[in-house]
Amino acid sequence: MKLKATIKSITLASSIIKKGGLVAFPTETVYGLGADALNPQAVAKIFEVKKRPEFDPLIVHIADLIWLKKLTRKVDKKAFMLIKHFWPGPLTLVLLKSSIVPDIVTSGLDTVAVRMPAHRVARKLIKLSQSPIAAPSANTFGHLSPTTATHVEKQLGEKINLILDDGKCPIGVESTVLSLVGGKAILLRPGGVSLEEIEKVIGKVSRQSKTKKIQSPGQLPSHYAPRTPLKIIESLDHIPDDKNIGVLLFKNPPFKLKDKTVEILTKKGDLREAAANLFSALHRLDESGVKIIYAESMPKTGLGLAIMDRLQRASSKRIT
Ligand code: AMP
Ligand code: MG
């Protein structure tokens, strides 16, 4: 459903967000596909609808600086100077995340990307939703970013609860993404605010070399991969009868796994629930002190493809 953005439709949109639904909304950069950033299952729906073959960290949109404090662990002087100059606006800052940010939002990274959009409709929606909104561009994976509500409707119309229409996005390119982790400013993606403008405020910014462009979190050196070796198995019979073994199960096992540290991603066999729990379960297994993690193969449909991609990435690094 596409509705012209009015106070009434924005209020309806906020109630959809609060209930864990998806709303496409205009920002000054492009249309975003938003979900409650603190609700992992709602965020999982974003990946499902976008048909992303892998998980990618999402930008968390806020309308009030109080949320920056809640979402991050450390905001240094450089960050505050940039915020003073460019927020609200098309600048996304990558900072160390706090524990309230679900792992699915950051693809398991220890950092979170935060932006305060300037668009009237986006700000009203975030305020009324009373929660930060995680949103990538509202398009299908591999397609052009949407800068009108019609673009969104053509690509995702049937699959999302509501599209708020406020005409064309004034900027039309994505936000600039700048990492400030560890006190060093690194440009991760050029966008709505130019490098020159940023350098006027905080001085030299490093650029990521073009050949090393980060396309997905798996390519980030800081990306979370379990320290513990991980092996994907097709059947539970392949788990050795040994202690110190962690098991990542898709759903309830047909028999009891004795003396194992077990994480079940979804009791009901629901891929969306599994995706929402994946990174947190991996974190727990990694911290449990097991020697190896056996991960049950998941169905490679819907979000299962993204889950398997992530597991394959985690396993290939550690075991050949
Ligand atoms: P989009 O999906 O178009 O909104 O793009 C989001 C951009 O922000 C992508 O280029 C992501 O890789 C980047 N991004 C989001 N969160 C992080 C993070 N924690 N660290 C590094 N890059 C991030
Ligand atoms: Mg995008």
Side-chain angles (χ1 to χ4, degrees):
M1 183 172 46
K2 185 173 79 174
L3 294 175
K4 200 172 159 354
T6 59
I7 192 64
K8 201 172 154 200
S9 62
I10 302 172
T11 306
L12 170 67
S14 71
S15 64
I16 292 170
I17 296 278
K18 281 183 192 169
K19 281 187 223 141
L22 297 186
V23 173
F25 63 99
T27 77
E28 68 274 28
T29 60
V30 300
Y31 273 76
L33 179 61
D36 180 350
L38 304 184
N39 178 342
Q41 293 218 34
V43 174
K45 287 185 199 163
I46 293 179
F47 292 102
E48 186 178 31
V49 163
K50 278 190 64 107
K51 294 211 186 97
R52 268 192 145 138
E54 74 270 316
F55 293 119
D56 221 357
L58 303 176
I59 295 171
V60 178
H61 297 75
I62 60 173
D64 192 321
L65 277 183
I66 289 173
W67 277 104
L68 178 71
K69 215 173 155 198
K70 291 188 192 172
L71 295 167
T72 61
R73 293 209 297 277
K74 199 171 167 202
V75 185
D76 64 10
K77 200 167 152 224
K78 271 186 194 160
F80 278 119
M81 282 157 73
L82 291 168
I83 287 166
K84 208 170 146 215
H85 274 82
F86 302 112
W87 278 16
L91 176 67
T92 297
L93 299 177
V94 174
L95 298 159
L96 285 177
K97 84 173 192 76
S98 75
S99 59
I100 68 163
V101 184
D103 285 321
I104 190 163
V105 171
T106 64
S107 298
L109 290 169
D110 193 31
T111 54
V112 61
V114 188
R115 176 165 103 84
M116 187 187 284
H119 198 287
R120 176 187 65 87
V121 175
R123 291 173 68 79
K124 193 78 194 162
L125 175 64
I126 300 164
K127 276 192 184 147
L128 292 175
S129 302
Q130 296 172 316
S131 187
I133 293 184
S137 47
N139 54 340
T140 318
F141 176 77
H143 284 67
L144 286 174
S145 285
T147 50
T148 66
T150 312
H151 292 160
V152 182
E153 195 175 29
K154 278 190 189 149
Q155 295 190 39
L156 305 174
E158 310 282 278
K159 298 179 191 137
I160 58 183
N161 302 99
L162 180 63
I163 302 166
L164 288 175
D165 185 355
D166 196 56
K168 245 180 107 186
C169 300
I171 293 179
V173 292
E174 282 96 346
S175 62
T176 303
V177 181
L178 190 74
S179 165
L180 289 174
V181 177
K184 203 170 164 219
I186 303 170
L187 181 73
L188 299 180
R189 176 177 80 183
V193 177
S194 75
L195 189 61
E196 292 81 355
E197 286 175 278
I198 293 171
E199 289 191 327
K200 262 191 217 153
V201 178
I202 56 162
K204 193 89 193 105
V205 169
S206 323
R207 300 194 65 165
Q208 214 153 41
S209 79
K210 283 203 176 95
T211 48
K212 276 198 185 156
K213 192 166 169 257
I214 295 165
Q215 271 142 4
S216 59
Q219 292 167 289
L220 275 168
S222 58
H223 182 246
Y224 170 76
R227 281 166 287 135
T228 318
L230 183 144
K231 194 175 164 67
I232 300 170
I233 46 169
E234 294 305 323
S235 152
L236 300 188
D237 301 331
H238 297 161
I239 301 171
D241 189 16
D242 212 338
K243 280 191 181 169
N244 287 329
I245 284 181
V247 186
L248 182 72
L249 294 177
F250 171 53
K251 53 183 195 298
N252 270 333
F255 51 85
K256 202 166 174 345
L257 291 158
K258 237 180 97 216
D259 298 331
K260 307 274 186 291
T261 307
V262 178
E263 286 284 344
I264 299 167
L265 291 180
T266 161
K267 292 208 161 88
K268 297 175 290 184
D270 174 28
L271 282 165
R272 186 182 297 160
E273 189 184 8
N277 291 329
L278 175 68
F279 288 113
S280 309
L282 280 173
H283 268 298
R284 281 193 296 271
L285 285 172
D286 208 16
E287 279 155 19
S288 71
V290 294
K291 276 191 313 212
I292 182 164
I293 300 166
Y294 285 90
E296 184 184 21
S297 198
M298 322 261 153
K300 285 194 184 128
T301 55
L303 280 183
L305 206 61
I307 297 173
M308 284 306 288
D309 170 88
R310 186 62 194 80
L311 287 178
Q312 258 144 14
R313 232 182 274 208
S315 69
S316 63
K317 275 195 200 133
R318 307 287 147 174
I319 295 179
T320 46

